[in-house]
Amino acid sequence: MSKHVYSFSAKSADGDGKMKELLGGKGANLAEMCKIGIPVPPGFTITTEVCAAYYDNNKKIPEDAIPQINEALAKMETAFGGKKFGDPADPLLVSVRSGAALSMPGMMNTILNLGLTDASVEGLAKKTGNARFAYDSYRRVIDMFGSTAMDVEHEEFEHEISKLKQEKNVKLDTDLSVDDLKELVKRYKAVYKKHVKDDFPQDPKKQLMLAINAVFNSWNGNKAIQYRRIERITNLKGTAVNVQAMVFGNMGDSSGTGVAFTRDPNTGENVFYGDYLINAQGEDVVAGIRTPEPIAKLNDQMPKVYKQLCEIRQTLEKHYKEMQDIEFTVQEGTLYMLQTRTGKRTGTAAVRIAVELVKEKLIDENTAVKRVAPDSLNHLLLPQLDPKATAKVIAQGIAASPGAASGKIVLSADAAVEHAEKFPNEPIMLVRKETSPEDVAGMHLAKGILTSTGGKASHAAVVARGWGKPCVVGCEAVKINEAAGTLTIAGQSAKAGDFITINGTTGDVMIGKVPTVAPTMTGDFATLMGWADKVRKLKIRTNADTPADAAKAREFGAEGIGLCRTEHMFFGDDRITAMREMILADTEEARGKALAKLLPYQKADFVGIFEAMAGYPVTIRLLDPPLHEFLPHDAQGQADVAKGLGISAAKVKERVEELHEFNPMMGMRGCRLPLVYPEIGDMQVRAIIEAAIEVKKKGKTVLPEIMIPLVGVVEELVILKKRAIQIADDCMAKAGTKVEYQIGTMIEIPRAALTADKIAEEAEFFSFGTNDLTQMTFGFSRDDIKGFMPTYLKEKILPIDPFQSIDVSGVGQLIELGVKKGRDSRKAKHDQHLKVGICGEHGGDPDSVVFCHKVGMDYVSCSPFRVPIARLAAAQAALGEAKRDK
Ligand code: ADP
Ligand code: MG
Ligand code: MG
């Protein structure tokens, strides 16, 4: 018989912290806390395997689990002083809590106070001498059980309590008298009966079994499915169910409940960080209903409890060697821990905590490197408000997740979704009273989140931090009229669609769009990157077309340029005219004249870039896009061009039509351009070599790499390479000096990968252009995937958009083959190591970086702001264990 149920109680437990797969994170850690002597109310965990069996078994709990549940229940009763579950005279109550292997905050439902009935509520009142508490607990369980297990709308219950408060003319729930609460119980039961068509169950065991079913059902509820989709969580068996003896934070002023982090999850500072509420239960702290007190204040209200809590904070950190997110309840002065888990944190905090844990000798450098999710570094690279900006701060809330963001106001998650569909490029800011798990889709789309209630542990704060989104909560000056689509902020009126700016680092709120500035790399960030650099094998280069980008990337640790696109260099005011003149020229001679005008511009661009990257290689790609991109397609634009060049508008139109292609991405572009118009390639090579000579003469090291794009047949490369060498020789002869340079190619056409051995006989380096390679391998036009990619992802035809992360099983084969064939052939023919890298967006995607490491590339190249992310991902790949969860 297999074990379905694992008990835990003071100092002993069947399970332990390593059993997350089976017991879920919450259950495993409850067991672990018991084992290390931390006070936890006793209980038991029903395994995730039972959840899987439940779904295999037509939503029925497997028979052999039932006696095990009963046995564990009896054990819990003994461990908790012999009280009996649902005993009418002195009832033991329980909570029923979900908990999967990965934490999914607020996604699954918890039911508290289970076991209360009409009879036992009386017993509880008598036994505790606290009727207010007993009836408050009773009305809560009817609400929680009704809404969680029986699908009654929670609002239906909320409506009743609001109505009663109005009738009684009181403001707070706690102002209701015992008789009011008894009345409320009556009304709640009526709501329950109306919707469930049955009475609230008076058999505690029946309540328990229905509640366990409800937790299993919530595993496939909308909220949970949505969360797993966004976080890309797959391959989990299901949720475990934790049944635990209730302790009460709502027994009066010597009771309370709270949540805390062992360090500040925003900044990573080693301070105790959290909130609590006196005389409150469960979700009250996180639901943003009452604004809670900061944890340090507990020292004034309950000094002994506070001291014990601080000791537990230390014990847990030493034990887990990691920052923890904890939940606790104080019942009449006695402290109980209800949860601990690895705390979610911002990227900034992740870095600081990892570095400080090394300094505290709890972990080593490599562990620190593995602890930080590469993508979370985005957070340290988040824009901050321009210090020079003179925006007026009109309100302040709680700084819940750092970084600055501006966006157009939307007042609901649905509005956010609608706005994003209509105007996908417009930044939006979600402004709400509070957020709930239903809002995650809209929250995900917003640049930032602003709420008028809630504390640092509220739903909005936790979720925003997880995603690295700027967030300000508890900004009471914000008053929203959702129906009218308007709001006031500290008296100033605004409406949906207006721009608003928040600073999640300070809690400031500003009306309008405030300018932001880019961050720099210093302190702990630099330290961690240094550790990453020690272990990584891949070099990290950047994609940069300007000296400014090159300099920024260098600051972020780039070791060269892997892709310098030259097409952008033709768009400046004077340049575009010369470029158009060249395209519109009829003869080679006229083309040559126009190109001669472009040469000094190109050369100056390259000089700037070579200087900014002095000492490192710079790969320059020859002109790649189709020529029609340089000509206007509208009549007015064509007329202007004609006028400027002194030719007829008809001629411009004719040329545009001539250049028209049905499929420009597969047309006259890449190496096909200089093959048909050799002068274009000549000019570019000349500009590169002349620039290199000039920079070398200034005493700087230049390592130009001339990259010929879109090669599919080795003969293309043979011709272009020969010509490039002639030009280079000519330049060097004229200058009377030599520069080292290489000529290589992009591998971005499947045929190039397949014939990589032939191509490598000619090419000194390969750079995989995985955007085009993906496009041509799949036959997906990368600019036209909007129509079908969402369906492909939803139907799980593809696990992930292959333009975001390399399709390892398909495109990956071509890359692997290309690397191997290319390297072998270069070695055999020239006894040389073929340098291989990747350029394009994949170079900054952590999963793709891991793949590049595995196939033995020399470097990856990505946009400047992703360089640190790639450095960390490369280090984790080298350590053989990348951190996947965020
Ligand atoms: P979540 O996964 O959403 O955090 P939990 O299972 O942790 O849900 O439950 C939410 C809250 O309910 C806890 O933070 C705690 O305050 C309260 N709670 C759960 N179990 C108990 C219990 N046995 N006694 C008292 N409070 C409890
Ligand atoms: Mg919890
Ligand atoms: Mg390409």
Side-chain angles (χ1 to χ4, degrees):
M1 198 182 72
S2 50
K3 187 166 169 67
H4 295 305
V5 180
Y6 287 69
S7 290
F8 55 85
S9 62
K11 298 205 172 81
S12 81
D14 299 348
D16 65 42
K18 288 185 204 74
M19 302 170 73
K20 291 202 175 82
E21 290 269 319
L22 187 66
L23 304 181
K26 199 179 288 167
N29 282 331
L30 284 170
E32 187 78 12
M33 281 200 289
C34 286
K35 284 202 156 149
I36 61 172
I38 286 172
V40 173
F44 56 88
T45 304
I46 307 170
T47 68
T48 55
E49 279 168 3
V50 177
C51 182
Y54 174 83
Y55 280 104
D56 289 344
N57 194 16
N58 219 349
K59 291 201 179 189
K60 265 179 63 195
I61 295 171
E63 279 303 319
D64 59 338
I66 309 283
Q68 294 187 32
I69 291 173
N70 289 328
E71 206 178 296
L73 195 62
K75 242 173 137 173
M76 172 176 77
E77 289 170 339
T78 315
F80 207 50
K83 282 195 194 193
K84 295 277 175 242
F85 177 55
D87 178 350
D90 181 14
L92 167 64
L93 305 185
V94 300
S95 65
V96 172
R97 319 170 65 187
S98 63
L102 288 174
S103 106
M104 300 167 63
M107 288 297 125
M108 313 266 285
N109 299 311
T110 297
I111 305 175
L112 304 180
N113 308 335
L114 217 68
L116 272 182
T117 58
D118 290 352
S120 63
V121 70
E122 275 300 317
L124 186 65
K126 266 200 208 104
K127 194 77 198 172
T128 59
N130 191 340
R132 174 157 220 301
F133 149 73
Y135 280 92
D136 186 50
S137 302
Y138 197 26
R139 66 101 186 167
R140 283 173 194 261
V141 72
I142 300 168
D143 177 349
M144 274 186 273
F145 181 85
S147 53
T148 304
M150 294 317 208
D151 286 332
V152 185
E153 291 281 343
H154 169 66
E155 270 65 43
E156 297 270 342
F157 296 111
E158 276 298 294
H159 178 71
E160 291 300 331
I161 189 167
S162 299
K163 216 171 81 190
L164 188 71
K165 280 195 292 191
Q166 235 168 27
E167 286 169 27
K168 300 291 168 187
N169 206 8
V170 299
K171 253 179 81 185
L172 298 175
D173 296 5
T174 40
D175 295 334
L176 292 170
S177 71
V178 174
D179 284 336
D180 295 339
L181 287 171
K182 285 185 180 167
E183 172 61 23
L184 195 58
V185 163
K186 227 158 88 198
R187 295 189 190 181
Y188 273 20
K189 288 205 305 205
V191 168
Y192 182 97
K193 184 156 190 181
K194 181 166 149 224
H195 290 275
V196 182
K197 312 267 177 300
D198 198 358
D199 287 316
F200 178 71
Q202 293 297 317
D203 172 3
K205 270 278 174 59
K206 186 170 164 200
Q207 288 178 7
L208 179 61
M209 294 318 291
L210 285 170
I212 292 170
N213 279 299
V215 171
F216 286 148
N217 288 337
S218 74
W219 175 250
N220 276 336
N222 282 337
K223 288 188 281 184
I225 288 174
Q226 231 181 62
Y227 189 86
R228 289 202 292 272
R229 182 173 55 76
I230 291 173
E231 297 287 331
R232 292 194 211 143
I233 299 173
T234 51
N235 304 331
L236 289 188
K237 288 189 195 120
T239 179
V241 182
N242 301 290
V243 178
Q244 188 178 27
M246 278 299 303
V247 291
F248 300 99
N250 55 338
M251 283 186 77
D253 287 345
S254 61
S255 303
T257 183
V259 295
F261 292 86
T262 55
R263 300 182 189 219
D264 185 332
N266 266 318
T267 64
E269 193 186 348
N270 192 357
V271 291
F272 204 12
Y273 178 102
D275 295 317
Y276 72 98
L277 276 174
I278 291 290
N279 197 12
Q281 190 175 45
E283 307 285 65
D284 294 356
V285 184
V286 290
I289 301 165
R290 278 161 63 189
T291 302
E293 301 284 353
I295 196 85
K297 220 180 148 193
L298 191 63
N299 196 23
D300 304 335
Q301 282 183 300
M302 301 180 185
K304 261 177 65 191
V305 168
Y306 184 72
K307 185 161 169 272
Q308 190 189 359
L309 196 59
C310 288
E311 281 162 15
I312 290 174
R313 169 187 171 221
Q314 300 299 345
T315 307
L316 286 173
E317 277 216 344
K318 291 235 157 64
H319 184 74
Y320 286 98
K321 302 181 190 335
E322 177 56 300
M323 186 264 258
Q324 297 292 300
D325 167 358
I326 59 179
E327 299 178 1
F328 62 91
T329 282
V330 183
Q331 176 176 328
E332 298 186 304
T334 304
L335 175 66
Y336 295 93
M337 301 308 294
L338 293 171
Q339 190 168 336
T340 190
R341 65 183 163 205
T342 301
K344 292 210 183 211
R345 65 204 73 182
T346 63
T348 309
V351 169
R352 179 164 177 179
I353 291 169
V355 171
E356 291 191 351
L357 288 177
V358 172
K359 288 185 191 150
E360 292 161 29
K361 300 204 161 54
L362 285 174
I363 59 174
D364 62 17
E365 290 177 8
N366 286 351
T367 307
V369 166
K370 286 195 277 190
R371 282 275 174 89
V372 180
D375 270 323
S376 76
L377 294 182
N378 255 332
H379 195 259
L380 288 93
L381 303 164
L382 278 177
Q384 304 296 329
L385 283 182
D386 184 346
K388 290 197 283 295
T390 51
K392 191 160 169 263
V393 176
I394 62 162
Q396 205 174 36
I398 297 165
S401 177
S406 296
K408 288 188 167 180
I409 297 172
V410 290
L411 296 175
S412 72
D414 289 345
V417 174
E418 265 170 44
H419 195 102
E421 268 168 13
K422 264 198 241 150
F423 311 103
N425 296 322
E426 282 189 6
I428 49 185
M429 180 78 61
L430 183 63
V431 183
R432 283 188 72 66
K433 185 162 179 285
E434 70 210 12
T435 64
S436 73
E438 275 85 6
D439 297 332
V440 289
M443 293 167 77
H444 198 59
L445 292 168
K447 285 272 174 277
I449 298 160
L450 170 64
T451 70
S452 58
T453 62
K456 290 172 206 135
S458 65
H459 180 261
V462 171
V463 173
R465 269 201 299 277
W467 288 337
K469 254 186 224 302
C471 176
V472 173
V473 298
C475 185
E476 286 166 9
V478 176
K479 308 263 186 270
I480 302 164
N481 184 341
E482 196 187 322
T486 60
L487 65 162
T488 63
I489 306 174
Q492 282 202 46
S493 38
K495 57 182 186 313
D498 289 353
F499 260 101
I500 188 172
T501 301
I502 60 168
N503 183 352
T505 316
T506 58
D508 293 346
V509 179
M510 290 137 284
I511 292 216
K513 194 174 172 179
V514 185
T516 53
V517 290
T520 54
M521 217 166 96
T522 49
D524 293 335
F525 190 12
T527 304
L528 185 82
M529 284 296 128
W531 295 339
D533 290 347
K534 274 199 244 170
V535 291
R536 74 183 154 89
K537 302 276 189 311
L538 279 172
K539 294 237 179 286
I540 311 298
R541 297 197 194 179
T542 191
N543 303 344
D545 314 340
T546 63
D549 275 0
K552 188 87 231 166
R554 220 179 151 144
E555 241 175 71
F556 286 141
E559 303 161 289
I561 291 181
L563 177 62
C564 171
R565 300 176 174 92
T566 50
E567 46 271 22
H568 302 167
M569 298 175 181
F570 292 107
F571 278 106
D573 281 346
D574 302 331
R575 308 162 176 217
I576 189 75
T577 311
M579 184 68 181
R580 285 167 174 169
E581 189 183 327
M582 190 274 293
I583 296 170
L584 291 160
D586 289 322
T587 62
E588 194 182 318
E589 199 197 335
R591 262 199 305 277
K593 239 177 79 192
L595 283 164
K597 291 185 198 166
L598 287 168
L599 177 73
Y601 289 121
Q602 281 257 280
K603 188 176 152 186
D605 289 336
F606 294 144
V607 167
I609 288 171
F610 287 149
E611 285 186 335
M613 266 300 162
Y616 286 122
V618 174
T619 308
I620 296 169
R621 180 176 70 182
L622 301 187
L623 193 63
D624 186 49
L627 291 182
H628 76 88
E629 288 190 8
F630 297 96
L631 291 179
H633 290 244
D634 61 308
Q636 184 57 50
Q638 291 174 2
D640 291 346
V641 167
K643 200 165 149 228
L645 295 176
I647 55 175
S648 75
K651 166 126 201 238
V652 178
K653 184 159 180 260
E654 192 190 298
R655 185 78 178 123
V656 170
E657 277 163 14
E658 236 172 62
L659 289 174
H660 172 80
E661 294 172 317
F662 288 102
N663 202 338
M665 291 307 276
M666 299 175 117
M668 178 71 167
R669 56 173 287 228
C671 66
R672 297 157 204 169
L673 286 169
L675 284 166
V676 177
Y677 306 111
E679 320 78 71
I680 301 180
D682 292 354
M683 183 279 284
Q684 291 201 291
V685 173
R686 190 171 291 281
I688 293 168
I689 300 297
E690 285 185 5
I693 292 170
E694 189 174 319
V695 175
K696 192 186 167 192
K697 280 191 175 157
K698 291 184 193 168
K700 293 182 177 150
T701 309
V702 264
L703 301 161
E705 299 174 343
I706 298 169
M707 179 156 77
I708 297 169
L710 221 70
V711 164
V713 187
V714 67
E715 282 72 17
E716 294 168 327
L717 188 57
V718 170
I719 295 172
L720 292 172
K721 184 178 149 193
K722 194 166 147 219
R723 216 167 154 118
I725 292 173
Q726 276 168 9
I727 301 273
D729 286 347
D730 182 49
C731 293
M732 293 191 283
K734 277 192 184 133
T737 182
K738 282 201 154 165
V739 284
E740 294 293 320
Y741 68 95
Q742 293 192 335
I743 298 178
T745 184
M746 289 186 76
I747 304 291
E748 51 187 338
I749 290 183
R751 193 182 189 285
L754 295 169
T755 58
D757 48 345
K758 286 274 166 283
I759 292 175
E761 291 180 2
E762 297 296 325
E764 290 173 284
F765 63 88
F766 279 0
S767 176
F768 283 86
T770 48
N771 292 344
D772 267 312
L773 190 59
T774 300
Q775 162 164 277
M776 295 196 236
T777 303
F778 274 96
F780 291 165
S781 160
R782 71 187 200 225
D783 298 317
D784 300 306
I785 56 170
K786 276 206 295 292
F788 57 88
M789 192 54 68
T791 306
Y792 271 55
L793 297 177
K794 198 168 136 233
E795 300 295 332
K796 300 206 169 85
I797 296 167
L798 288 174
I800 180 167
D801 176 350
F803 291 100
Q804 263 174 33
S805 197
I806 289 177
D807 159 51
V808 171
S809 56
V811 177
Q813 284 194 46
L814 284 170
I815 297 175
E816 232 180 317
L817 183 82
V819 174
K820 174 143 193 0
K821 280 190 140 185
R823 285 251 173 89
D824 288 352
S825 139
R826 189 83 200 165
K827 186 92 201 153
K829 176 111 185 199
H830 300 282
D831 195 27
Q832 272 174 3
H833 171 79
L834 178 77
K835 193 161 42 174
V836 178
I838 180 183
C839 57
E841 287 316 299
H842 287 129
D845 168 64
D847 290 337
S848 305
V849 172
V850 171
F851 174 76
C852 294
H853 168 91
K854 279 195 191 135
V855 299
M857 287 193 189
D858 297 285
Y859 70 89
V860 299
S861 186
C862 57
S863 60
F865 281 95
R866 296 200 73 85
V867 167
I869 294 171
R871 282 163 73 192
L872 186 55
Q876 292 180 352
L879 291 171
E881 200 182 311
K883 173 148 172 132
R884 282 288 167 277
D885 51 358
K886 300 209 172 112

